[in-house]
Amino acid sequence: MSALHEKIDKSRLPRHIAIIMDGNGRWAREKGEDRLFGHYHGVESVRDIVEGCAELGIEYLTLYAFSTENWDRPEYEVVGLMELLVSTIRKEVESLNKNNIRLHVIGDMSMLPDYARNELNEALEITKNNTGLNLVMALSYSGRWELLNAVKNIAHAVKQGKLTVEAIDQDTLQHYLCTSEFPDPELMIRTSGEYRISNFLLYQLAYAELYFTNVRWPDFRKENLYEAILDFQQRERRFGKTSEQLLPVNG
Ligand code: IPE
Ligand code: IPE
Ligand code: MG
């Protein structure tokens, strides 16, 4: 066990961590390599962080792997990423099962090539009874796409008489998001020194603690995750209240 790991208060872990895995391209370029080389190495970080979260007993880990905007990248990169996705899932599904990890996917699956969608569906099926870490892959995902989709589906439900306008509340909206089964992330990490959300979980991050690090995703390892969690544990989450209100009444 590392010193950082020891310092983490295991009774105050975030239930849900979301990560924008950024910086693969720059990492590769800095080494004089092609961007895809960075993506390949990024998979090693995914493996390490998934393992780290499972060991700590984190319940949900959402990884932003591909945004709806990423479809506009050069074709060779998009194709390379899709192939990497498929080969990684194929290789990892056994170890997900062994570690009791359940895979979920959020995003516009209709955009994915058939071979990628089929591979994913198979992995979802194989891991569906696992009860440990929930690993949520955000693929062909964007917050605006998700919200638009939810609004359309709510409108359909109203039109079909399944829902009245008066009955729509925050729970209704939550129910129509692709994350309806998951609690909101409490900690959001972005690697590689960019300070933006890039269309990730726009609704769900409302009260998340944001953590930014300059470390590029292919260099991000468990120790970096522990640092982020320790930082999270030092924050006071007020949810609009005052510090005094957060003090225990009889404490
Ligand atoms: C993140 O790394 C991975 C994806 C978006 C698929 P990038 O590919 O965005 O790497 P940079 O930001 O260009 O360095
Ligand atoms: C966000 O990274 C998407 C993923 C990490 C999958 P980008 O690299 O696409 O974001 P921008 O373009 O820098 O905002
Ligand atoms: Mg990037």
Side-chain angles (χ1 to χ4, degrees):
M1 283 300 123
S2 74
L4 284 178
H5 184 283
E6 302 273 284
K7 276 202 215 155
I8 294 174
D9 177 350
K10 307 298 183 301
S11 69
R12 286 175 52 244
L13 289 169
R15 286 187 71 196
H16 185 172
I17 299 177
I19 306 182
I20 301 179
M21 309 184 288
D22 198 18
N24 296 352
R26 277 164 285 166
W27 183 88
R29 281 283 148 85
E30 284 154 11
K31 296 186 152 40
E33 299 281 352
D34 185 81
R35 295 177 56 83
L36 283 177
F37 181 76
H39 297 316
Y40 293 135
H41 281 273
V43 174
E44 287 160 29
S45 304
V46 171
R47 216 174 277 133
D48 202 56
I49 295 313
V50 168
E51 192 181 280
C53 284
E55 285 166 357
L56 278 168
I58 303 291
E59 292 173 67
Y60 299 87
L61 171 66
T62 298
L63 298 177
Y64 202 9
F66 195 86
S67 71
T68 52
E69 287 77 20
N70 290 149
W71 289 114
D72 296 329
R73 291 196 178 184
E75 200 190 333
Y76 96 95
E77 184 171 345
V78 171
V79 171
L81 276 165
M82 288 301 132
E83 284 171 359
L84 180 61
L85 169 75
V86 170
S87 66
T88 304
I89 290 173
R90 198 167 289 160
K91 255 191 259 156
E92 298 298 321
V93 80
E94 203 176 304
S95 99
L96 290 180
N97 247 353
K98 216 165 48 204
N99 294 302
N100 199 19
I101 297 168
R102 179 170 178 189
L103 185 70
H104 304 262
V105 182
I106 56 171
D108 186 358
M109 290 302 106
S110 71
M111 295 282 286
L112 291 177
D114 289 344
Y115 72 94
R117 197 173 37 247
N118 295 341
E119 193 73 35
L120 270 169
N121 282 335
E122 216 171 287
L124 296 179
E125 184 62 29
I126 294 172
T127 64
K128 74 172 182 210
N129 294 320
N130 294 341
T131 54
L133 174 70
N134 288 282
L135 172 60
V136 185
M137 296 299 294
L139 263 178
S140 188
Y141 172 88
S142 75
R144 288 188 174 178
W145 164 81
E146 178 184 41
L147 288 167
L148 185 62
N149 207 38
V151 168
K152 280 187 183 164
N153 287 330
I154 291 171
H156 274 303
V158 170
K159 203 163 135 194
Q160 289 168 354
K162 291 181 189 157
L163 187 66
T164 64
V165 171
E166 293 69 30
I168 298 173
D169 57 15
Q170 294 209 17
D171 287 340
T172 318
L173 184 50
Q174 194 97 29
H175 174 77
Y176 280 87
L177 299 175
C178 24
T179 53
S180 59
E181 300 167 54
F182 320 129
D184 287 343
E186 291 163 88
L187 170 61
M188 195 288 284
I189 300 170
R190 183 172 189 150
T191 59
S192 203
E194 306 297 351
Y195 297 83
R196 53 178 174 264
I197 303 289
S198 300
N199 222 344
F200 188 41
L201 301 173
L202 295 178
Y203 184 85
Q204 298 85 340
L205 291 177
Y207 269 103
E209 294 299 327
L210 308 182
Y211 179 87
F212 298 94
T213 170
N214 289 330
V215 176
R216 308 246 190 261
W217 179 251
D219 287 330
F220 196 83
R221 287 293 181 274
K222 284 179 197 174
E223 290 295 303
N224 306 100
L225 173 74
Y226 301 155
E227 271 169 26
I229 294 175
L230 284 167
D231 192 282
F232 167 83
Q233 291 189 331
Q234 273 156 31
R235 311 230 187 144
E236 182 178 64
R237 306 189 71 208
R238 289 190 287 277
F239 299 98
K241 298 191 173 145
T242 66
S243 287
E244 290 71 26
Q245 284 178 294
L246 300 174
L247 294 172
V249 184
N250 299 312

